[in-house]
Amino acid sequence: MRKSIICLTRSTLLGLCLLSGTVAAAEPALFNADGYRQTQYRSPTPPTADGARTLDTASLQQLLREQPQTVLIDVFRQQWLNQRFIPDTPPHANLPGSLWLANVGDGSLEPQWQQYFEANLARVSGQRKERPLVFYCKSDCWLSWNAIKRARALGYTSLYWYRDGIDAWQQAGLPLHPAQPAALP
């Protein structure tokens, strides 16, 4: 009798191991092979992004005063369905003067989104890779971290990360403006 209990226990353990292996294999990796965050975009972020200076609200305001040619780029996600953006309720708002490049912070970009990102960066930078670009989303959002990594890979050299983004701006009592994502060509 004792032997059958041990066999049952081993069998049960083997079944549990196989089950847990199946579950673990089904979970997507947090990062893809190129190092972009692929999932759980709204979770704690690192304090810095390679190749970028991290800004708080006061340092962002100072940068905008000292370098008015700085471009603010919001990368908050916007639902895309049937070749068009589907508006959020309530509508999205961002920092005044921002360019909203929706969905370019995803871990893997389809060619149309990569082209959208590249074309808009080229346009707003005036083809100048040294033009200051500030990427942001909301707090604890990997989308802006991914976008910085992507811009750096394209050769942009003056990159900034407003890590706490829209949430920090709003908490500082600063105005947000209604936003529309840049049109996808």
Side-chain angles (χ1 to χ4, degrees), residues 52-69:
R53 181 174 156 214
T54 304
L55 303 172
D56 60 15
T57 303
S59 56
L60 174 58
Q61 290 176 306
Q62 180 178 349
L63 175 68
L64 293 172
R65 279 191 304 274
E66 293 173 359
Q67 297 185 52
Q69 76 280 11

Side-chain angles (χ1 to χ4, degrees), residues 49-144:
D50 287 344
R53 181 174 156 214
T54 304
L55 303 172
D56 60 15
T57 303
S59 56
L60 174 58
Q61 290 176 306
Q62 180 178 349
L63 175 68
L64 293 172
R65 279 191 304 274
E66 293 173 359
Q67 297 185 52
Q69 76 280 11
T70 298
V71 179
L72 298 170
I73 303 171
D74 177 3
V75 297
F76 187 71
R77 294 195 97 251
Q78 180 73 31
Q79 187 176 1
W80 178 258
L81 185 64
N82 297 325
Q83 300 300 308
R84 67 182 184 95
F85 289 110
I86 307 300
D88 289 330
T89 304
H92 181 63
N94 62 19
L95 282 61
S98 295
L99 170 65
W100 182 13
L101 296 180
N103 307 340
V104 300
D106 287 356
S108 297
L109 292 185
E110 293 177 18
Q112 71 177 353
W113 294 105
Q114 181 68 32
Q115 181 187 7
Y116 170 76
F117 184 66
E118 291 178 20
N120 276 290
L121 288 189
R123 180 178 57 79
V124 299
S125 70
Q127 304 282 346
R128 291 180 26 236
K129 302 277 182 157
E130 73 282 356
R131 181 133 189 208
L133 304 174
V134 177
F135 290 90
Y136 72 92
C137 184
K138 294 189 175 204
S139 64
D140 294 325
C141 181
W142 285 86
L143 298 172
S144 51

Side-chain angles (χ1 to χ4, degrees), residues 9 13 42 51 57 121 126 132 163 174:
T9 303
L13 287 174
R42 291 300 304 270
T57 303
L121 288 189
R163 182 174 172 246
L174 298 167

